[in-house]
Amino acid sequence: MGSCRKYWREPLADGILPWQADLWQLLAGRRQHAHAYLLHGPSGIGKRALAERLMALLLCQQPMPSGACGRCKGCLLLAAHTHPDHYILEPEEADKAIRVDQVRQLVGFVSQTAQLGGRKVVLLEPAEAMNLNAANALLKSLEEPAGDTVLLLISHQPSRLLPTIKSRCVQQRCPLPDRQQSLDWLAARLPELSAERREELLSLAASSPLAALQLYGQGVLEARVQVVDGVKKLLKRQQSPSQLAEAWNPLSLILILDWFCEWAHLVLRYRMTGDEEGLGSADMQKVIQYLAQKSSLSALLALQEWLLSHRQKVLGKANLNRVLLLEALLVQWASLPGPG
């Protein structure tokens, strides 16, 4: 079994997620499986849980219509993380690339005979973390996997995958829950939160319920308060960009960039339309209105372009100095209102 350190991923769900029921019935009911699946969709909707459930079914020696039996030798070994015919490939560290030498080890596993005499199953997440050399090294295994091997690729951003990777897989878009399904799911897991706080949490997670649960565990509600408070103090010149950059260094960089991208978009939108229904979350509405009234269009467009460019660099695992990046962002944000 492949082994490497874990990085952030979707928390596992207990049981079939309600919004995946139809897709699971389709997958579990197949008599013949493809040699490679690409399960894709936004983060936090349960793709990993679906892939692990499918892996268990494919390795089960006595599968049932509903899924793996949970009692056979294959199921017991998988539950103990000692099944010799499954392989999980992930980045060795958070936000790092999957390297070519990792994929070569995987190719070696694929070329072997299944030790229990059944299938071999590979789970790779996220597929877009493979660098170019790693992706090219995987192509032959995707096209002609040895023996009865099934590769399960998970992607949160399939647009970043090589076309040759996507063309060798059965592409399966994973369903998104509607808002009420997400809120009901969160209510069952976070009963201590008020309905209003669960609504806020889901909005901060871009409507992805599993991401919302993960973010809650990481203190996203407290982080949001800290960042919003910092932005307001920055504009009042009560704190400097360098002070805030140091204070925010422990926080998720991509989360901060996502928030600023959203705020820049809302400022532009309000400046162009004056629509008060489109001001976003209540905690930043007055700031959005203020910046829309005080900022030049050219400055807003330049900031938006900078944000999108650097967000892409972060997603692409570029080696950036976090504090300097945050300070550069905050210097531009503070200068938006212009002199006077």
Side-chain angles (χ1 to χ4, degrees):
M1 178 187 72
S3 62
C4 53
R5 286 168 293 199
K6 299 292 183 185
Y7 76 113
W8 183 91
R9 63 175 175 85
E10 297 167 350
L12 294 183
D14 45 341
I16 297 173
L17 294 164
W19 54 92
Q20 290 181 349
D22 291 343
L23 176 56
W24 174 250
Q25 190 173 23
L26 176 68
L27 291 171
R30 285 186 174 170
R31 300 184 65 182
Q32 189 73 28
H33 280 276
H35 65 270
Y37 291 96
L38 175 60
L39 305 174
H40 63 91
S43 296
I45 60 170
K47 299 184 300 299
R48 176 67 176 242
L50 178 67
E52 294 201 349
R53 184 174 292 276
L54 182 54
M55 171 182 271
L57 174 66
L58 293 170
L59 292 173
C60 179
Q61 296 169 334
Q62 299 172 1
M64 303 184 296
S66 58
C69 72
R71 299 183 299 273
C72 68
K73 181 179 180 181
C75 287
L76 294 176
L77 287 171
L78 187 62
H81 306 289
T82 55
H83 198 298
D85 298 326
H86 93 292
Y87 196 105
I88 297 177
L89 180 58
E90 302 171 314
E92 291 183 338
E93 297 179 47
D95 299 323
K96 297 297 183 182
I98 292 176
R99 305 186 321 274
V100 65
D101 59 319
Q102 291 179 271
V103 174
R104 286 174 180 154
Q105 292 178 24
L106 166 62
V107 171
F109 167 82
V110 171
S111 66
Q112 298 169 3
T113 302
Q115 294 187 38
L116 295 189
R119 288 188 181 96
K120 300 189 303 296
V121 182
V122 172
L123 192 157
L124 190 159
E125 180 195 17
E128 61 269 16
M130 290 186 289
N131 60 32
L132 182 59
N133 289 335
N136 284 327
L138 184 66
L139 285 175
K140 185 169 179 59
S141 291
L142 279 175
E143 191 168 15
E144 300 173 359
D148 191 358
T149 302
V150 177
L151 293 96
L152 306 176
L153 278 63
I154 300 173
S155 177
H156 314 302
Q157 297 173 295
S159 61
R160 294 177 55 204
L161 294 176
L162 290 176
T164 44
I165 292 285
K166 292 191 282 190
S167 67
R168 286 164 170 77
C169 301
V170 171
Q171 298 184 47
Q172 178 61 62
R173 181 170 182 80
C174 295
L176 279 66
D178 62 38
R179 193 162 186 83
Q180 194 56 53
Q181 284 178 320
S182 297
L183 290 170
D184 290 345
W185 189 85
L186 281 175
R189 284 148 189 84
L190 299 173
E192 69 276 14
L193 287 186
S194 67
E196 183 180 7
R197 294 291 270 174
R198 288 194 292 267
E199 286 266 12
E200 179 186 358
L201 186 60
L202 190 61
S203 295
L204 292 176
S207 299
S208 296
L210 277 78
L213 185 63
Q214 183 81 14
L215 289 171
Y216 176 72
Q218 295 172 346
V220 70
L221 295 175
E222 295 80 5
R224 175 76 174 201
V225 171
Q226 181 182 353
V227 171
V228 168
D229 183 61
V231 167
K232 292 175 180 177
K233 288 180 177 177
L234 176 74
L235 293 174
K236 294 176 182 176
R237 307 198 186 286
Q238 294 172 348
Q239 278 193 287
S240 69
S242 59
Q243 288 173 323
L244 285 175
E246 289 289 350
W248 293 357
N249 190 34
L251 305 180
S252 165
L253 184 56
I254 194 62
L255 197 60
I256 293 172
L257 288 173
D258 281 346
W259 289 344
F260 274 88
C261 283
E262 178 191 9
W263 295 335
H265 173 76
L266 291 173
V267 172
L268 272 168
R269 185 179 184 276
Y270 184 70
R271 192 181 190 281
M272 301 297 287
T273 68
D275 179 13
E276 296 190 357
E277 296 296 316
L279 287 170
S281 299
D283 58 0
M284 280 289 286
Q285 287 182 357
K286 290 184 178 179
V287 176
I288 299 300
Q289 288 177 303
Y290 168 75
L291 290 176
Q293 294 162 0
K294 299 291 185 179
S295 307
S296 71
L297 184 59
S298 60
L300 286 170
L301 291 172
L303 175 60
Q304 188 176 54
E305 183 179 355
W306 186 94
L307 280 165
L308 293 173
S309 170
H310 284 78
R311 181 180 183 276
Q312 196 60 36
K313 289 178 182 178
V314 172
L315 289 174
K317 320 300 181 190
N319 188 19
L320 302 169
N321 184 306
R322 291 171 51 90
V323 174
L324 290 180
L325 177 63
L326 287 170
E327 187 172 354
L329 164 60
L330 291 165
V331 166
Q332 294 181 77
W333 193 263
S335 66
L336 274 180

